[in-house]
């Protein structure tokens, strides 16, 4: 069966520090991968999605970036964190090259910027 | 036009009651409508999904009703239990939108014992 892993579960970082959040998927190949941010008590904002290695689409301009160095690995990064980057970051995957497929989420990373 | 509206924002139901959450969309190209359940500190989990070729789908105590002409769909939770207390998100997707989901803002459900 397929599983998705995100780490770390929680992270406290000072303003201006770099960020690297990692997500890996097991049990499937060529997945579509997604990064979302969820503000407290709010909905899901799509940040990036990827349909293949090295292919990244950005939905919202910001100081975050994403990379997909391997088929089942998705990384969210920042060179300099802002206070507004605080939130709950979720990685998700769906079956690639298929329509009407559900997205499956990891358990997220709670990021607090001090 | 890519927006999905969801109501109510929060809902309190007595144990054993029926919880109803409504969603509406504008883009007629949407052709896949999943519902997600999220507990605090966890990622959303797929609950049930429907495609527009059917008007209703039932899985256990959870039912989706779909009205294509009104561009509305709803989640009904029968015999609501305290363990159903969570945030529920509806979503819509379309191959024309690259299969990216458009999520509603969420409904926080509290089921009182």
């Amino acid at each position: 069966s397929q599983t998705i892993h995100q780490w770390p579960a929680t992270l406290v970082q000072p303003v201006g520090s770099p960020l690297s959040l990692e997500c890996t998927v097991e049990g499937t190949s060529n997945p579509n991968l997604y990064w979302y941010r969820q503000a407290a008590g709010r909905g899901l904002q799509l940040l990036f999605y990827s349909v293949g290695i090295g292919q990244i689409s950005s939905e919202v301009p910001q100081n975050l970036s994403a990379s997909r160095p391997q088929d089942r690995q998705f990384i969210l990064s920042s060179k300099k964190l802002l206070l507004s980057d605080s939130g709950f970051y979720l990685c998700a995957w769906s079956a690639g090259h298929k329509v009407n497929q559900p997205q499956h989420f990891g358990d997220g990373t709670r990021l607090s910027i001090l | 036009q890519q927006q999905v509206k969801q109501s109510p924002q929060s809902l309190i139901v007595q144990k054993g009651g029926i919880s109803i959450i409504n969603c509406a969309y504008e883009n007629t190209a949407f052709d896949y409508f999943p519902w997600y359940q999220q507990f605090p500190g966890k990622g959303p989990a797929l609950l049930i999904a429907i495609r527009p070729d059917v008007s209703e789908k039932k899985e256990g105590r959870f039912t989706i009703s779909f009205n294509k002409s009104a561009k509305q769909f709803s989640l009904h939770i029968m015999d609501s239990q305290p363990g159903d207390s969570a945030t529920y998100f509806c979503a819509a997707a379309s191959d024309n939108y690259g299969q990216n989901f458009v999520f509603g803002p969420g409904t926080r459900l509290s089921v009182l014992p």
Side-chain angles (χ1 to χ4, degrees):
Chain A
S1 63
Q2 302 88 0
T3 55
I4 180 169
H5 303 280
Q6 275 188 254
W7 66 92
T10 59
L11 188 61
V12 181
Q13 291 284 94
V15 170
S17 63
L19 173 73
S20 180
L21 301 181
E22 190 162 343
C23 171
T24 58
V25 180
E26 296 177 357
T28 187
S29 58
N30 303 314
N32 294 333
L33 296 172
Y34 308 83
W35 277 113
Y36 289 87
R37 177 167 57 203
Q38 185 176 28
R42 303 288 295 276
L44 297 157
Q45 179 187 35
L46 180 64
L47 302 175
F48 301 95
Y49 69 94
S50 171
V51 298
I53 295 175
Q55 301 179 60
I56 309 294
S57 295
S58 174
E59 290 293 301
V60 181
Q62 58 217 319
N63 72 320
L64 299 171
S65 62
S67 62
R68 185 171 177 173
Q70 300 180 44
D71 181 46
R72 291 169 288 176
Q73 184 185 29
F74 207 22
I75 297 172
L76 183 68
S77 304
S78 174
K79 292 181 179 178
K80 271 189 170 183
L81 285 167
L82 307 172
L83 281 174
S84 57
D85 291 325
S86 291
F88 191 45
Y89 288 83
L90 290 156
C91 181
W93 73 272
S94 67
H97 308 294
K98 294 182 180 179
V99 298
N100 295 332
Q101 295 294 309
Q103 292 184 12
H104 305 279
F105 289 83
D107 278 339
T109 294
R110 175 76 59 192
L111 176 64
S112 299
I113 310 299
L114 303 178
Chain B
Q1 196 175 14
Q2 297 294 356
Q3 193 179 23
V4 174
K5 297 179 181 178
Q6 183 172 347
S7 62
Q9 186 175 9
S10 62
L11 180 62
I12 299 175
V13 174
Q14 292 287 339
K15 178 182 176 182
I18 302 173
S19 304
I20 302 174
I21 304 170
N22 301 298
C23 286
Y25 62 97
E26 290 293 325
N27 189 346
T28 55
F30 286 141
D31 55 8
Y32 179 66
F33 303 90
W35 283 89
Y36 284 83
Q37 178 188 56
Q38 184 180 29
F39 293 106
K42 295 292 186 180
L46 179 68
L47 195 59
I48 187 172
I50 197 168
R51 295 182 173 84
D53 53 344
V54 297
S55 60
E56 185 175 283
K57 183 174 181 180
K58 184 176 181 179
E59 290 185 3
R61 296 185 293 110
F62 300 91
T63 300
I64 299 179
S65 298
F66 186 81
N67 186 329
K68 188 174 181 179
S69 60
K71 291 183 285 186
Q72 294 175 348
F73 57 110
S74 59
L75 176 69
H76 291 64
I77 306 175
M78 311 301 287
D79 187 26
S80 299
Q81 299 296 311
D84 297 331
S85 297
T87 300
Y88 292 81
F89 294 95
C90 62
S94 164
D95 195 36
N96 293 339
Y97 191 48
Q99 285 300 303
N100 290 338
F101 284 15
V102 178
F103 283 91
T107 295
R108 190 166 184 173
L109 171 65
S110 297
V111 181
L112 303 179

